[in-house]
Amino acid sequence: DIQMTQSPSSLSASVGDRVTVTCRASQNISTYLNWYQQKPGKAPSLLIHAVSSLQTGVPSRFRGGGSATEFTLTISSLQPDDFATYYCQQSYLIPRTFGQGTKVEI
Amino acid sequence: QVQLVQSGAEVKKSGASVKVSCKASGYTLSFYDINWVRQASGQGLEWMGWMNPTTGKSGSTQRFEGRLTLTRDTATGTAYMELDSLRSDDTAVYFCARGRWLTPGHYSFDVWGQGSTVTVSS
C-alpha cells in the first residue's frame, strides 16, 4: 500500500497568516493527489483534486502544488472558516490511502 | 441537491454484524462509485472499500477482506456496507462517499454522507 505522510500533524496560526501543509507519498503517484477539509463532527469535503484543481465553490486562497512524491496545500490568508483538519489522499492505486491529517488551530 | 443520506447510529455486541445504508439523492446511484471510509474517535480517515453500483463489482483493503460486504439496491438508489465479526476497534464513524473522475484519469470523493456512528461493546 502507498503510505501518505503529512507534516506537521498540527499547527497554530492566526487569521491572515499564510499556512502550508506538506504531504509525502511513499512512492511516485504522479499528480494523483486530493485534499480534503474536515471540521469537527462533520464529514470531510473535497477541496482540491488532481493536485491543484479547486473543487467548485472552494475559495482561491487555497492552492495545491507538487508532483511525484511531494505535495503542498497552501492557504494564502487564513480565514476563521479555515480552522479545520486537512487530509491528503492518493488516487493512484487502490487502496486509496489518506494521510494522517493536519489540524490547523488558532 | 446532490447528497448521500446515511442510516442512524448503531450499537452492537462484539461478534455481531452491522449494516449501514447510504441513499443517493439528487442523482442516480448507478452513475458513480460508492466508497466507504471510517474514522475512529480522534483519528484519521481509513479507506475501507469501493463498489461500482452499475456492475456490483467491489473491492476492499486487505484488512477487511472476509468481513466486509458492499452491496446496492439500484431500485431505491441505496448502497450498503455490512461489516461482520465486529470487534471493539471497529467502533468508529462510517462514511460513504461518491467516487468520481472529476478530471480525466483523476479520481476523488466529491460527495460524502453525514456519517453513521457504530459502537461495538463487549
Side-chain angles (χ1 to χ4, degrees), chain A residues 31-32 34 36 38 43-44 46 49-50 55 87 89 91 94-96 98, chain B residues 35 39 43-45 47 50 95 102-103 105-110 112-113:
Chain A
T31 59
Y32 294 87
N34 305 313
Y36 299 85
Q38 186 180 32
L46 179 64
H49 55 95
Q55 178 65 341
Y87 294 92
Q89 179 205 31
S91 61
I94 288 175
R96 297 187 171 105
F98 293 89
Chain B
N35 290 262
Q39 185 173 40
Q43 302 301 308
L45 302 170
W47 183 83
W50 68 278
F95 296 101
L102 283 170
T103 308
H106 292 85
Y107 188 92
S108 56
F109 301 171
D110 70 331
W112 292 68

Side-chain angles (χ1 to χ4, degrees), chain B residues 26-54:
Chain B
Y27 82 99
T28 300
L29 179 77
S30 299
F31 287 178
Y32 305 106
D33 292 349
I34 291 291
N35 290 262
W36 290 89
V37 176
R38 76 177 186 180
Q39 185 173 40
S41 180
Q43 302 301 308
L45 302 170
E46 179 180 22
W47 183 83
M48 299 175 68
W50 68 278
M51 183 190 62
N52 179 318
T54 299

Side-chain angles (χ1 to χ4, degrees), chain B residues 14-88:
Chain B
S14 292
S17 299
V18 69
K19 191 170 187 177
V20 176
S21 68
C22 170
K23 183 174 175 59
S25 176
Y27 82 99
T28 300
L29 179 77
S30 299
F31 287 178
Y32 305 106
D33 292 349
I34 291 291
N35 290 262
W36 290 89
V37 176
R38 76 177 186 180
Q39 185 173 40
S41 180
Q43 302 301 308
L45 302 170
E46 179 180 22
W47 183 83
M48 299 175 68
W50 68 278
M51 183 190 62
N52 179 318
T54 299
T55 63
K57 181 179 178 181
S58 65
S60 66
T61 189
Q62 201 164 10
R63 175 175 177 168
F64 298 103
E65 274 183 18
R67 287 209 298 146
L68 181 66
T69 304
L70 303 179
T71 57
R72 89 290 192 207
D73 180 342
T74 53
T76 62
T78 304
Y80 298 93
M81 184 281 299
E82 185 167 17
L83 190 61
D84 299 327
S85 303
L86 289 168
R87 309 185 290 251
S88 58

